[in-house]
Amino acid sequence: MLLTPSEKYSPAPVLSLPDRQWPGNTLTQPPRWLSTDLRDGNQALAEPMDSERKRLFWELLLQCGFKEIEVAFPSASQTDFNFVRELIEGNHIPPDVTIQVLTQARSDLIDRTFMALEGAKQATLHLYNATAPLFRRLVFRQSREEIVALAVSATRQIRQRCEDYPATHWTFEYSPETFCFTESDFALEICEAVAAVWQPCSARPMIINLPATVEVNTPNVYADQIEYFCRHFSLRSQVCISVHPHNDRGTGIACAELAMLAGADRVEGCLFGNGERTGNVDLVTLALNLYTQGISPGLDFSNIRQIVETVEQCNQLPVHPRHPYAGELVFTAFSGSHQDAIKKGFSARQLSPLDRWEVPYLPLDPADLGCSYEAVIRINSQSGKSGAAWMIEQNHGLALPRALQQHFSQHVQQQADREGGEMTQAAIWQLFCRLYGLASPLVLLNDYRCQSEGGELLLQGEVSMGERRKTLEGRGKGLLSAAVNALSRAFNITLSIQDYHEHTLGKQSDSRSIAYLHCVLPGGQTHWGVGIDGDVARASLQALLNVLSHCPSLAGK
């Protein structure tokens, strides 16, 4: 009888480490970074990069500030071999950058790798062999002793070959591949044996890389394994402990962060997590997570859109629109409650722009990644009053009164529902202008003049409705009360002002002003009018006239 899914899988073993220390630790500095995009990430592509795309990616990694880059598996293909030669012979490697290459524990492949690296000023040679019981039993059919002997023999050959090329400053890296499901005592045993051959010191740097080649357990178990290894490895102070988490369980980021808490010094991965199966750890996310903890990652992702475009071009794989920090929509809120909170956060920052970053739903300032604030709020049928108001404010400088925000958002939502999609900035502005009279006003103020008479203000002016003109005259305690009386006489209608706001559009003395008027029309209906002009009085009068376009009886006047 076939086993059910819950019966057919054996849980991975859990390391017993009751006195673990990593949960109480705090990250205080970034790790050493190694990009494996040009090797591990390249091997994961259906169509591996050619030399031109590899060079483009190489230049991008240098711009981002990587100092260690795994560039190839030179014995695996002629393209990879040639790329290493191109970098060395073309003098494309900056003096402070170390290239790294990978090789299996086979004598012929090791020799081929050294041929590729000839002439390099500094290089890391990365040796690996699989160590887990499953691989020993099914893939290699070798005992623990035979697996150790293979790694030791390859290390001995590599050390000798390094001594044959003294002009290159060599670093040796060893990976017990499948570390995360290798017995902890055996991982220690094989790494001790390899280190005994290499004899790490300042003149012979060594990296021990402990990969989660295939994630088989929760991130806390991986952290326990890293801490156990760091505690028990006899030459811990002489080596750099590196981790290379994959993402099979979707926890690659967590594995890397917890591994750093457990003692890891270095992280290997790819930009945006490219790699075989579900990918490697995402270095962009991991690095930018450090910013949110007040730690500089030592990598430059300040032009994230250009980085995304280059990676997509080289990998021919899209970056998901909701990818942390880098996705097209990652800083975008459609939900009304989210938009309201974000808008309030930005309003608070205008009062105290030098304060620490505190904006709801935005753990990182989009500007730090070279992103504008335009994409932070976008509008669809799920959006509330703050979303449309935010876009109007950001793009046109209008600080809408709260009641007007509510009125306008209802119309925005209705239009978004009718059209069944997202509304663009242009569509929102066009709707605003059409609703509140800024586009083709029905009644246009041509001229006006005011003077005080007997403690009141006398307003006289002229308006036009297409080809028709009307004279206005009215008295009141102020400009707007005089205008209401004048309009009542000219159009034989009764209206009253319920709310009024004004502000300048800019900080210059010659900036234009905007006025918002909320009026009660005949029959009890209310509506808003908006006016913009260099003269605040004229803006207020036009706003009042713009309300009239919503009065049903005006059409016949």
Side-chain angles (χ1 to χ4, degrees), residues 457-490:
L457 188 72
L458 172 63
L459 170 69
Q460 296 175 312
E462 181 187 85
V463 298
S464 59
M465 298 175 60
E467 299 297 325
R468 300 159 55 196
R469 294 176 181 269
K470 273 188 176 290
T471 300
L472 299 181
E473 183 172 322
R475 295 175 181 272
K477 294 294 185 182
L479 175 67
L480 291 177
S481 62
V484 167
N485 291 331
L487 292 174
S488 296
R489 293 176 60 189

mmCIF file of all heavy atoms in Angstrom, residues 457-490:
data_model
loop_
_atom_site.group_PDB
_atom_site.id
_atom_site.type_symbol
_atom_site.label_atom_id
_atom_site.label_comp_id
_atom_site.label_asym_id
_atom_site.label_seq_id
_atom_site.Cartn_x
_atom_site.Cartn_y
_atom_site.Cartn_z
ATOM 1 N N LEU A 457 -18.688 95.456 3.005
ATOM 2 C CA LEU A 457 -17.866 95.356 1.807
ATOM 3 C C LEU A 457 -18.785 95.294 0.595
ATOM 4 O O LEU A 457 -19.708 94.472 0.544
ATOM 5 C CB LEU A 457 -16.989 94.094 1.857
ATOM 6 C CG LEU A 457 -15.948 93.975 0.741
ATOM 7 C CD1 LEU A 457 -14.826 94.985 0.954
ATOM 8 C CD2 LEU A 457 -15.370 92.561 0.711
ATOM 9 N N LEU A 458 -18.530 96.174 -0.352
ATOM 10 C CA LEU A 458 -19.289 96.168 -1.599
ATOM 11 C C LEU A 458 -18.470 95.448 -2.657
ATOM 12 O O LEU A 458 -17.326 95.827 -2.934
ATOM 13 C CB LEU A 458 -19.572 97.602 -2.066
ATOM 14 C CG LEU A 458 -20.189 97.749 -3.467
ATOM 15 C CD1 LEU A 458 -21.569 97.090 -3.534
ATOM 16 C CD2 LEU A 458 -20.252 99.221 -3.875
ATOM 17 N N LEU A 459 -19.034 94.373 -3.210
ATOM 18 C CA LEU A 459 -18.377 93.608 -4.277
ATOM 19 C C LEU A 459 -19.101 93.875 -5.586
ATOM 20 O O LEU A 459 -20.334 93.766 -5.675
ATOM 21 C CB LEU A 459 -18.425 92.102 -3.967
ATOM 22 C CG LEU A 459 -17.996 91.179 -5.111
ATOM 23 C CD1 LEU A 459 -16.496 91.303 -5.375
ATOM 24 C CD2 LEU A 459 -18.359 89.728 -4.799
ATOM 25 N N GLN A 460 -18.334 94.245 -6.598
ATOM 26 C CA GLN A 460 -18.854 94.407 -7.944
ATOM 27 C C GLN A 460 -17.975 93.606 -8.894
ATOM 28 O O GLN A 460 -16.754 93.522 -8.713
ATOM 29 C CB GLN A 460 -18.862 95.880 -8.356
ATOM 30 C CG GLN A 460 -19.795 96.744 -7.523
ATOM 31 C CD GLN A 460 -19.681 98.211 -7.876
ATOM 32 O OE1 GLN A 460 -18.585 98.747 -7.962
ATOM 33 N NE2 GLN A 460 -20.846 98.868 -8.080
ATOM 34 N N GLY A 461 -18.579 92.979 -9.887
ATOM 35 C CA GLY A 461 -17.781 92.182 -10.808
ATOM 36 C C GLY A 461 -18.575 91.723 -12.000
ATOM 37 O O GLY A 461 -19.754 92.073 -12.178
ATOM 38 N N GLU A 462 -17.887 90.916 -12.821
ATOM 39 C CA GLU A 462 -18.525 90.390 -14.025
ATOM 40 C C GLU A 462 -18.130 88.943 -14.201
ATOM 41 O O GLU A 462 -16.959 88.584 -13.988
ATOM 42 C CB GLU A 462 -18.095 91.194 -15.257
ATOM 43 C CG GLU A 462 -18.750 90.713 -16.554
ATOM 44 C CD GLU A 462 -18.186 91.410 -17.774
ATOM 45 O OE1 GLU A 462 -17.146 90.951 -18.290
ATOM 46 O OE2 GLU A 462 -18.785 92.413 -18.207
ATOM 47 N N VAL A 463 -19.115 88.122 -14.562
ATOM 48 C CA VAL A 463 -18.849 86.723 -14.841
ATOM 49 C C VAL A 463 -19.371 86.395 -16.223
ATOM 50 O O VAL A 463 -20.209 87.130 -16.779
ATOM 51 C CB VAL A 463 -19.516 85.802 -13.792
ATOM 52 C CG1 VAL A 463 -18.959 86.067 -12.397
ATOM 53 C CG2 VAL A 463 -21.023 85.956 -13.824
ATOM 54 N N SER A 464 -18.875 85.292 -16.767
ATOM 55 C CA SER A 464 -19.359 84.850 -18.079
ATOM 56 C C SER A 464 -19.738 83.391 -18.019
ATOM 57 O O SER A 464 -19.144 82.607 -17.279
ATOM 58 C CB SER A 464 -18.297 85.081 -19.155
ATOM 59 O OG SER A 464 -17.105 84.385 -18.855
ATOM 60 N N MET A 465 -20.763 83.051 -18.804
ATOM 61 C CA MET A 465 -21.196 81.662 -18.981
ATOM 62 C C MET A 465 -21.184 81.417 -20.481
ATOM 63 O O MET A 465 -22.165 81.732 -21.176
ATOM 64 C CB MET A 465 -22.581 81.436 -18.408
ATOM 65 C CG MET A 465 -22.688 81.670 -16.907
ATOM 66 S SD MET A 465 -24.390 81.530 -16.305
ATOM 67 C CE MET A 465 -24.767 79.841 -16.756
ATOM 68 N N GLY A 466 -20.099 80.938 -20.986
ATOM 69 C CA GLY A 466 -19.945 80.817 -22.425
ATOM 70 C C GLY A 466 -19.883 82.200 -23.039
ATOM 71 O O GLY A 466 -19.027 83.023 -22.689
ATOM 72 N N GLU A 467 -20.819 82.500 -23.951
ATOM 73 C CA GLU A 467 -20.863 83.811 -24.596
ATOM 74 C C GLU A 467 -21.635 84.832 -23.766
ATOM 75 O O GLU A 467 -21.600 86.027 -24.078
ATOM 76 C CB GLU A 467 -21.517 83.682 -25.988
ATOM 77 C CG GLU A 467 -20.761 82.756 -26.935
ATOM 78 C CD GLU A 467 -19.354 83.280 -27.236
ATOM 79 O OE1 GLU A 467 -19.183 84.511 -27.314
ATOM 80 O OE2 GLU A 467 -18.435 82.445 -27.367
ATOM 81 N N ARG A 468 -22.367 84.404 -22.764
ATOM 82 C CA ARG A 468 -23.202 85.301 -21.975
ATOM 83 C C ARG A 468 -22.409 85.884 -20.805
ATOM 84 O O ARG A 468 -21.559 85.223 -20.224
ATOM 85 C CB ARG A 468 -24.429 84.553 -21.445
ATOM 86 C CG ARG A 468 -25.327 83.977 -22.533
ATOM 87 C CD ARG A 468 -26.192 82.856 -22.015
ATOM 88 N NE ARG A 468 -26.980 83.282 -20.865
ATOM 89 C CZ ARG A 468 -27.582 82.442 -20.040
ATOM 90 N NH1 ARG A 468 -27.463 81.144 -20.219
ATOM 91 N NH2 ARG A 468 -28.309 82.905 -19.030
ATOM 92 N N ARG A 469 -22.724 87.134 -20.476
ATOM 93 C CA ARG A 469 -22.060 87.812 -19.371
ATOM 94 C C ARG A 469 -23.097 88.301 -18.373
ATOM 95 O O ARG A 469 -24.213 88.685 -18.748
ATOM 96 C CB ARG A 469 -21.216 88.989 -19.879
ATOM 97 C CG ARG A 469 -20.051 88.544 -20.741
ATOM 98 C CD ARG A 469 -19.291 89.739 -21.319
ATOM 99 N NE ARG A 469 -18.194 89.281 -22.154
ATOM 100 C CZ ARG A 469 -16.966 89.069 -21.717
ATOM 101 N NH1 ARG A 469 -16.688 89.269 -20.446
ATOM 102 N NH2 ARG A 469 -16.020 88.640 -22.537
ATOM 103 N N LYS A 470 -22.699 88.313 -17.108
ATOM 104 C CA LYS A 470 -23.575 88.818 -16.066
ATOM 105 C C LYS A 470 -22.785 89.746 -15.139
ATOM 106 O O LYS A 470 -21.600 89.513 -14.870
ATOM 107 C CB LYS A 470 -24.166 87.670 -15.243
ATOM 108 C CG LYS A 470 -25.450 87.078 -15.811
ATOM 109 C CD LYS A 470 -26.050 86.105 -14.836
ATOM 110 C CE LYS A 470 -27.386 85.595 -15.370
ATOM 111 N NZ LYS A 470 -28.414 86.649 -15.360
ATOM 112 N N THR A 471 -23.474 90.775 -14.677
ATOM 113 C CA THR A 471 -22.881 91.700 -13.724
ATOM 114 C C THR A 471 -23.247 91.262 -12.309
ATOM 115 O O THR A 471 -24.372 90.855 -12.032
ATOM 116 C CB THR A 471 -23.380 93.132 -13.971
ATOM 117 O OG1 THR A 471 -23.015 93.518 -15.298
ATOM 118 C CG2 THR A 471 -22.774 94.099 -12.965
ATOM 119 N N LEU A 472 -22.260 91.353 -11.419
ATOM 120 C CA LEU A 472 -22.475 90.996 -10.013
ATOM 121 C C LEU A 472 -22.374 92.245 -9.148
ATOM 122 O O LEU A 472 -21.521 93.114 -9.377
ATOM 123 C CB LEU A 472 -21.422 89.980 -9.538
ATOM 124 C CG LEU A 472 -21.349 88.625 -10.231
ATOM 125 C CD1 LEU A 472 -20.249 87.796 -9.581
ATOM 126 C CD2 LEU A 472 -22.682 87.912 -10.164
ATOM 127 N N GLU A 473 -23.234 92.281 -8.141
ATOM 128 C CA GLU A 473 -23.123 93.339 -7.128
ATOM 129 C C GLU A 473 -23.778 92.824 -5.848
ATOM 130 O O GLU A 473 -24.908 92.329 -5.852
ATOM 131 C CB GLU A 473 -23.795 94.625 -7.572
ATOM 132 C CG GLU A 473 -23.612 95.748 -6.558
ATOM 133 C CD GLU A 473 -24.102 97.087 -7.081
ATOM 134 O OE1 GLU A 473 -23.914 97.365 -8.284
ATOM 135 O OE2 GLU A 473 -24.664 97.850 -6.267
ATOM 136 N N GLY A 474 -23.032 92.946 -4.755
ATOM 137 C CA GLY A 474 -23.571 92.487 -3.483
ATOM 138 C C GLY A 474 -22.788 93.052 -2.323
ATOM 139 O O GLY A 474 -21.636 93.479 -2.463
ATOM 140 N N ARG A 475 -23.424 93.075 -1.151
ATOM 141 C CA ARG A 475 -22.794 93.597 0.049
ATOM 142 C C ARG A 475 -22.748 92.498 1.119
ATOM 143 O O ARG A 475 -23.599 91.610 1.146
ATOM 144 C CB ARG A 475 -23.581 94.789 0.602
ATOM 145 C CG ARG A 475 -23.592 95.997 -0.304
ATOM 146 C CD ARG A 475 -24.495 97.098 0.260
ATOM 147 N NE ARG A 475 -24.525 98.246 -0.618
ATOM 148 C CZ ARG A 475 -23.655 99.259 -0.557
ATOM 149 N NH1 ARG A 475 -22.712 99.253 0.382
ATOM 150 N NH2 ARG A 475 -23.764 100.278 -1.393
ATOM 151 N N GLY A 476 -21.766 92.605 2.004
ATOM 152 C CA GLY A 476 -21.672 91.653 3.100
ATOM 153 C C GLY A 476 -20.603 92.053 4.084
ATOM 154 O O GLY A 476 -19.862 93.023 3.882
ATOM 155 N N LYS A 477 -20.505 91.290 5.182
ATOM 156 C CA LYS A 477 -19.492 91.575 6.193
ATOM 157 C C LYS A 477 -18.074 91.310 5.685
ATOM 158 O O LYS A 477 -17.117 91.861 6.197
ATOM 159 C CB LYS A 477 -19.758 90.721 7.435
ATOM 160 C CG LYS A 477 -21.059 91.058 8.159
ATOM 161 C CD LYS A 477 -20.999 92.455 8.751
ATOM 162 C CE LYS A 477 -22.256 92.739 9.566
ATOM 163 N NZ LYS A 477 -22.249 94.128 10.121
ATOM 164 N N GLY A 478 -17.958 90.429 4.701
ATOM 165 C CA GLY A 478 -16.669 90.111 4.122
ATOM 166 C C GLY A 478 -16.822 89.770 2.659
ATOM 167 O O GLY A 478 -17.937 89.822 2.100
ATOM 168 N N LEU A 479 -15.717 89.405 2.051
ATOM 169 C CA LEU A 479 -15.721 89.136 0.616
ATOM 170 C C LEU A 479 -16.698 88.033 0.241
ATOM 171 O O LEU A 479 -17.505 88.173 -0.691
ATOM 172 C CB LEU A 479 -14.304 88.754 0.159
ATOM 173 C CG LEU A 479 -14.158 88.333 -1.303
ATOM 174 C CD1 LEU A 479 -14.431 89.510 -2.239
ATOM 175 C CD2 LEU A 479 -12.771 87.744 -1.567
ATOM 176 N N LEU A 480 -16.645 86.912 0.958
ATOM 177 C CA LEU A 480 -17.477 85.773 0.572
ATOM 178 C C LEU A 480 -18.959 86.004 0.856
ATOM 179 O O LEU A 480 -19.819 85.581 0.070
ATOM 180 C CB LEU A 480 -16.981 84.511 1.282
ATOM 181 C CG LEU A 480 -15.610 84.010 0.800
ATOM 182 C CD1 LEU A 480 -15.175 82.796 1.602
ATOM 183 C CD2 LEU A 480 -15.629 83.679 -0.686
ATOM 184 N N SER A 481 -19.277 86.683 1.964
ATOM 185 C CA SER A 481 -20.697 86.959 2.213
ATOM 186 C C SER A 481 -21.242 87.929 1.177
ATOM 187 O O SER A 481 -22.395 87.793 0.723
ATOM 188 C CB SER A 481 -20.897 87.503 3.631
ATOM 189 O OG SER A 481 -20.205 88.739 3.794
ATOM 190 N N ALA A 482 -20.403 88.886 0.747
ATOM 191 C CA ALA A 482 -20.824 89.794 -0.320
ATOM 192 C C ALA A 482 -21.013 89.037 -1.626
ATOM 193 O O ALA A 482 -21.960 89.294 -2.385
ATOM 194 C CB ALA A 482 -19.789 90.911 -0.490
ATOM 195 N N ALA A 483 -20.116 88.056 -1.895
ATOM 196 C CA ALA A 483 -20.219 87.276 -3.125
ATOM 197 C C ALA A 483 -21.468 86.401 -3.121
ATOM 198 O O ALA A 483 -22.139 86.257 -4.152
ATOM 199 C CB ALA A 483 -18.966 86.414 -3.298
ATOM 200 N N VAL A 484 -21.815 85.808 -1.977
ATOM 201 C CA VAL A 484 -23.019 84.980 -1.881
ATOM 202 C C VAL A 484 -24.250 85.823 -2.180
ATOM 203 O O VAL A 484 -25.159 85.410 -2.927
ATOM 204 C CB VAL A 484 -23.116 84.328 -0.487
ATOM 205 C CG1 VAL A 484 -24.510 83.740 -0.265
ATOM 206 C CG2 VAL A 484 -22.057 83.249 -0.335
ATOM 207 N N ASN A 485 -24.304 87.044 -1.614
ATOM 208 C CA ASN A 485 -25.449 87.924 -1.871
ATOM 209 C C ASN A 485 -25.510 88.345 -3.334
ATOM 210 O O ASN A 485 -26.591 88.410 -3.931
ATOM 211 C CB ASN A 485 -25.356 89.162 -0.971
ATOM 212 C CG ASN A 485 -25.582 88.816 0.491
ATOM 213 O OD1 ASN A 485 -26.299 87.859 0.806
ATOM 214 N ND2 ASN A 485 -24.970 89.578 1.390
ATOM 215 N N ALA A 486 -24.341 88.600 -3.924
ATOM 216 C CA ALA A 486 -24.316 89.006 -5.332
ATOM 217 C C ALA A 486 -24.813 87.877 -6.235
ATOM 218 O O ALA A 486 -25.569 88.097 -7.176
ATOM 219 C CB ALA A 486 -22.899 89.422 -5.720
ATOM 220 N N LEU A 487 -24.375 86.643 -5.941
ATOM 221 C CA LEU A 487 -24.800 85.512 -6.763
ATOM 222 C C LEU A 487 -26.288 85.225 -6.582
ATOM 223 O O LEU A 487 -26.980 84.835 -7.536
ATOM 224 C CB LEU A 487 -23.975 84.268 -6.399
ATOM 225 C CG LEU A 487 -22.493 84.316 -6.781
ATOM 226 C CD1 LEU A 487 -21.764 83.095 -6.247
ATOM 227 C CD2 LEU A 487 -22.318 84.423 -8.289
ATOM 228 N N SER A 488 -26.785 85.383 -5.371
ATOM 229 C CA SER A 488 -28.212 85.162 -5.130
ATOM 230 C C SER A 488 -29.051 86.127 -5.972
ATOM 231 O O SER A 488 -30.091 85.740 -6.533
ATOM 232 C CB SER A 488 -28.525 85.367 -3.647
ATOM 233 O OG SER A 488 -27.855 84.405 -2.866
ATOM 234 N N ARG A 489 -28.603 87.391 -6.051
ATOM 235 C CA ARG A 489 -29.339 88.374 -6.843
ATOM 236 C C ARG A 489 -29.204 88.093 -8.335
ATOM 237 O O ARG A 489 -30.176 88.168 -9.090
ATOM 238 C CB ARG A 489 -28.814 89.785 -6.537
ATOM 239 C CG ARG A 489 -29.104 90.247 -5.119
ATOM 240 C CD ARG A 489 -28.488 91.595 -4.859
ATOM 241 N NE ARG A 489 -29.012 92.611 -5.785
ATOM 242 C CZ ARG A 489 -28.528 93.853 -5.914
ATOM 243 N NH1 ARG A 489 -27.498 94.215 -5.157
ATOM 244 N NH2 ARG A 489 -29.066 94.704 -6.756
ATOM 245 N N ALA A 490 -27.986 87.737 -8.778
ATOM 246 C CA ALA A 490 -27.749 87.569 -10.212
ATOM 247 C C ALA A 490 -28.420 86.315 -10.759
ATOM 248 O O ALA A 490 -28.904 86.304 -11.909
ATOM 249 C CB ALA A 490 -26.247 87.517 -10.485
#
